[in-house]
Amino acid sequence: FVREGQRIVASSSSCASSDVERIRTLLRRVILVSFRIANVHIAAVERQDASAASDALFALSEWLVALREHCAPTHASLGVEILDLWQRVESARGRVLLKVGNIDGARGVFDAIEETCRDARPPFTLTNRGLRAFARGEYNMAVMYFQKALEGDDASVLAHNNLALAHVYTHDIDTAVTALENFVRVHFLRPHATVV
């Protein structure tokens, strides 16, 4: 799909209306591939595997930037969709970096997301802040960010899971259990939970 996207970008100086649906199809594939890359390698214990995942996600991210620059001038809504996906891919890359203990690298990724998207504070940006706080051992701060993220998207698997875990680290087991119960209630009653 990256090659197809490169062909679209190279085919003309601006994004043709006929390309929009092809690009949207490519974006759906990018979503699936990027989260598979991140989730497989977040589970990996090998630092080298995680580094390869981070590199692959970075390549996807760079491709999305070029695609957005190509499409946004003529198709603003598509530019917004591409920017949203870029944020998600970069968030996944930041999580991979956190997994291997590269807190500074993750902070750089998360800061770049916030710098690029100053006006938007989507739930996954708040989740990223919670993950950073958690990695620094600031569990009460992490709880606050995960709760705010869930106010914006109460189906976020990552925010629910990490909220419960942060409560465990603050020694508030009852609240951790309640958080997991809420997660199960929301996630299994709503089949389209977001994994951000």
Side-chain angles (χ1 to χ4, degrees):
F1 58 80
V2 171
R3 283 192 194 115
E4 177 65 17
Q6 290 169 335
R7 276 193 288 271
I8 291 169
V9 170
S11 68
S12 64
S13 60
S14 66
C15 186
S17 295
S18 60
D19 292 333
V20 171
E21 196 51 45
R22 286 177 32 210
I23 290 170
R24 285 195 169 111
T25 299
L26 290 174
L27 294 179
R28 285 189 290 274
R29 290 181 189 161
V30 168
I31 290 169
L32 294 173
V33 168
S34 66
F35 288 114
R36 285 185 182 152
I37 290 169
N39 290 333
V40 165
H41 291 290
I42 284 175
V45 290
E46 295 291 328
R47 203 182 244 310
Q48 184 176 3
D49 288 344
S51 177
S54 177
D55 292 347
L57 290 168
F58 181 74
L60 281 175
S61 178
E62 290 294 303
W63 174 74
L64 288 167
V65 168
L67 190 61
R68 182 170 182 266
E69 288 172 358
H70 180 71
C71 295
T74 54
H75 300 282
S77 66
L78 185 58
V80 170
E81 289 176 48
I82 295 168
L83 181 62
D84 178 68
L85 181 55
W86 174 83
Q87 292 174 73
R88 292 174 187 272
V89 168
E90 283 294 275
S91 291
R93 187 164 74 94
R95 290 195 315 271
V96 169
L97 293 170
L98 282 176
K99 169 65 178 168
V100 297
N102 186 348
I103 295 172
D104 290 338
R107 182 180 57 230
V109 169
F110 294 151
D111 287 349
I113 293 168
E114 291 194 29
E115 180 68 25
T116 301
C117 310
R118 285 181 194 229
D119 298 332
R121 291 291 181 246
F124 58 85
T125 299
L126 294 167
T127 300
N128 291 344
R129 289 181 183 181
L131 291 170
R132 276 197 305 200
F134 194 97
R136 291 189 309 263
E138 299 170 356
Y139 305 117
N140 288 320
M141 182 70 70
V143 164
M144 181 199 68
Y145 282 126
F146 295 137
Q147 287 172 333
K148 285 184 178 184
L150 289 169
E151 289 170 11
D153 178 8
D154 69 346
S156 170
V157 173
L158 190 61
H160 271 287
N161 179 64
N162 285 291
L163 174 62
L165 192 57
H167 279 303
V168 168
Y169 276 81
T170 62
H171 307 286
D172 190 352
I173 303 303
D174 290 338
T175 306
V177 169
T178 301
L180 285 175
E181 288 172 345
N182 288 337
F183 161 70
V184 169
R185 189 176 309 110
V186 169
H187 183 67
F188 291 107
L189 294 178
R190 190 181 304 156
H192 301 291
T194 55
V195 182
V196 295

